[in-house]
Short mmCIF file of all heavy atoms in Angstrom, two decimals:
data_model
loop_
_atom_site.label_atom_id
_atom_site.label_comp_id
_atom_site.label_asym_id
_atom_site.label_seq_id
_atom_site.Cartn_x
_atom_site.Cartn_y
_atom_site.Cartn_z
N ILE A 39 -8.66 2.83 -4.02
CA ILE A 39 -9.99 2.56 -4.37
C ILE A 39 -10.04 2.98 -5.98
O ILE A 39 -9.21 3.78 -6.30
CB ILE A 39 -11.11 3.30 -3.66
CG1 ILE A 39 -10.99 4.76 -3.71
CG2 ILE A 39 -10.91 2.75 -2.31
CD1 ILE A 39 -12.09 5.55 -3.17
N LEU A 40 -11.10 2.51 -6.64
CA LEU A 40 -11.35 3.11 -8.06
C LEU A 40 -11.84 4.57 -7.82
O LEU A 40 -12.69 4.92 -6.97
CB LEU A 40 -12.48 2.20 -8.66
CG LEU A 40 -12.02 0.83 -9.01
CD1 LEU A 40 -13.36 0.05 -9.40
CD2 LEU A 40 -11.04 0.76 -10.18
N GLU A 41 -11.37 5.40 -8.80
CA GLU A 41 -11.77 6.74 -8.76
C GLU A 41 -13.28 6.91 -8.96
O GLU A 41 -13.90 7.81 -8.32
CB GLU A 41 -11.08 7.58 -9.82
CG GLU A 41 -11.28 9.09 -9.70
CD GLU A 41 -10.47 9.76 -10.72
OE1 GLU A 41 -10.77 9.63 -11.96
OE2 GLU A 41 -9.58 10.43 -10.38
N SER A 42 -13.85 5.97 -9.63
CA SER A 42 -15.24 5.96 -9.97
C SER A 42 -16.09 5.94 -8.71
O SER A 42 -17.29 6.36 -8.70
CB SER A 42 -15.71 4.95 -10.97
OG SER A 42 -15.21 3.58 -10.42
N LEU A 43 -15.45 5.38 -7.58
CA LEU A 43 -16.27 5.28 -6.36
C LEU A 43 -16.79 6.66 -5.77
O LEU A 43 -17.57 6.77 -5.01
CB LEU A 43 -15.64 4.47 -5.33
CG LEU A 43 -15.45 2.98 -5.58
CD1 LEU A 43 -14.61 2.24 -4.57
CD2 LEU A 43 -16.82 2.33 -5.67
N THR A 44 -15.92 7.68 -6.14
CA THR A 44 -16.31 9.03 -5.67
C THR A 44 -17.61 9.56 -6.18
O THR A 44 -18.17 10.56 -5.72
CB THR A 44 -15.24 10.05 -6.02
OG1 THR A 44 -15.10 10.15 -7.45
CG2 THR A 44 -13.97 9.65 -5.43
N ALA A 45 -18.35 8.85 -7.16
CA ALA A 45 -19.67 9.27 -7.79
C ALA A 45 -20.63 8.90 -6.52
O ALA A 45 -21.73 9.45 -6.60
CB ALA A 45 -19.93 8.41 -8.94
N ASP A 46 -20.21 8.10 -5.58
CA ASP A 46 -21.18 7.92 -4.52
C ASP A 46 -21.09 8.91 -3.57
O ASP A 46 -20.01 9.34 -3.03
CB ASP A 46 -20.73 6.54 -3.75
CG ASP A 46 -21.72 6.18 -2.69
OD1 ASP A 46 -22.04 6.99 -1.77
OD2 ASP A 46 -22.01 5.04 -2.54
N PRO A 47 -22.17 9.69 -3.25
CA PRO A 47 -22.05 10.93 -2.40
C PRO A 47 -21.41 10.59 -0.96
O PRO A 47 -20.79 11.47 -0.40
CB PRO A 47 -23.50 11.34 -2.31
CG PRO A 47 -24.39 10.63 -3.33
CD PRO A 47 -23.51 9.51 -3.73
N ARG A 48 -21.70 9.37 -0.42
CA ARG A 48 -21.09 9.08 0.94
C ARG A 48 -19.56 9.03 0.81
O ARG A 48 -18.88 9.42 1.78
CB ARG A 48 -21.68 7.81 1.40
CG ARG A 48 -23.20 7.88 1.64
CD ARG A 48 -23.77 6.64 1.84
NE ARG A 48 -23.77 5.79 0.61
CZ ARG A 48 -24.13 4.64 0.48
NH1 ARG A 48 -24.74 3.96 1.56
NH2 ARG A 48 -24.00 4.02 -0.68
N VAL A 49 -19.08 8.48 -0.29
CA VAL A 49 -17.60 8.41 -0.45
C VAL A 49 -17.04 9.78 -0.67
O VAL A 49 -16.08 10.17 -0.07
CB VAL A 49 -17.23 7.39 -1.67
CG1 VAL A 49 -15.85 7.60 -1.91
CG2 VAL A 49 -17.68 6.06 -1.32
N SER A 50 -17.65 10.47 -1.52
CA SER A 50 -17.22 11.84 -1.93
C SER A 50 -17.17 12.71 -0.50
O SER A 50 -16.31 13.37 -0.36
CB SER A 50 -18.14 12.52 -2.96
OG SER A 50 -17.63 13.75 -3.18
N ALA A 51 -18.24 12.62 0.27
CA ALA A 51 -18.28 13.44 1.33
C ALA A 51 -17.26 13.07 2.36
O ALA A 51 -16.53 13.85 2.97
CB ALA A 51 -19.62 13.16 2.06
N LEU A 52 -16.90 11.68 2.43
CA LEU A 52 -15.83 11.39 3.41
C LEU A 52 -14.45 11.84 2.95
O LEU A 52 -13.73 12.36 3.73
CB LEU A 52 -15.85 9.79 3.54
CG LEU A 52 -14.65 9.22 4.37
CD1 LEU A 52 -14.77 9.70 5.85
CD2 LEU A 52 -14.57 7.76 4.27
N LEU A 53 -14.11 11.89 1.61
CA LEU A 53 -13.01 12.15 1.13
C LEU A 53 -12.72 13.58 1.06
O LEU A 53 -11.68 14.20 1.13
CB LEU A 53 -12.81 11.73 -0.33
CG LEU A 53 -12.82 10.14 -0.54
CD1 LEU A 53 -12.58 9.81 -1.98
CD2 LEU A 53 -11.65 9.61 0.36
N THR A 54 -13.77 14.51 1.23
CA THR A 54 -13.66 16.02 1.32
C THR A 54 -13.90 16.59 2.67
O THR A 54 -13.82 17.69 2.86
CB THR A 54 -14.76 16.63 0.34
OG1 THR A 54 -16.03 16.23 0.54
CG2 THR A 54 -14.40 16.27 -1.05
N ASP A 55 -14.20 15.56 3.71
CA ASP A 55 -14.35 16.02 5.07
C ASP A 55 -13.09 16.43 5.71
O ASP A 55 -12.31 15.55 5.94
CB ASP A 55 -15.11 14.89 5.70
CG ASP A 55 -15.48 15.30 7.21
OD1 ASP A 55 -15.02 16.36 7.75
OD2 ASP A 55 -16.05 14.50 7.86
N LEU A 60 -7.84 13.12 5.96
CA LEU A 60 -7.31 12.01 4.93
C LEU A 60 -6.57 12.79 3.78
O LEU A 60 -6.92 13.89 3.40
CB LEU A 60 -8.59 11.38 4.23
CG LEU A 60 -9.42 10.50 5.20
CD1 LEU A 60 -10.62 10.01 4.52
CD2 LEU A 60 -8.65 9.44 5.83
N VAL A 62 -5.46 12.31 -0.09
CA VAL A 62 -5.89 11.54 -1.37
C VAL A 62 -5.08 11.89 -2.48
O VAL A 62 -4.81 13.13 -2.76
CB VAL A 62 -7.39 12.00 -1.69
CG1 VAL A 62 -7.87 11.24 -2.83
CG2 VAL A 62 -8.40 11.68 -0.50
N LEU A 79 -7.43 6.03 -6.51
CA LEU A 79 -7.18 6.92 -5.59
C LEU A 79 -6.34 6.37 -4.42
O LEU A 79 -6.81 5.18 -4.00
CB LEU A 79 -8.37 7.60 -5.01
CG LEU A 79 -9.33 8.47 -5.94
CD1 LEU A 79 -10.41 8.92 -5.11
CD2 LEU A 79 -8.42 9.68 -6.40
N ILE A 81 -5.46 6.56 -0.68
CA ILE A 81 -5.93 7.29 0.55
C ILE A 81 -5.23 6.90 1.80
O ILE A 81 -5.13 5.71 2.04
CB ILE A 81 -7.47 7.07 0.56
CG1 ILE A 81 -8.13 7.46 -0.67
CG2 ILE A 81 -8.05 7.88 1.80
CD1 ILE A 81 -9.54 6.77 -0.57
#
Side-chain angles (χ1 to χ4, degrees):
I39 65 170
L40 293 167
E41 185 178 75
S42 61
L43 290 175
T44 61
D46 182 314
R48 296 168 295 182
V49 174
S50 181
L52 177 63
L53 295 179
T54 57
D55 181 355
L60 298 176
V62 180
L79 296 176
I81 305 163

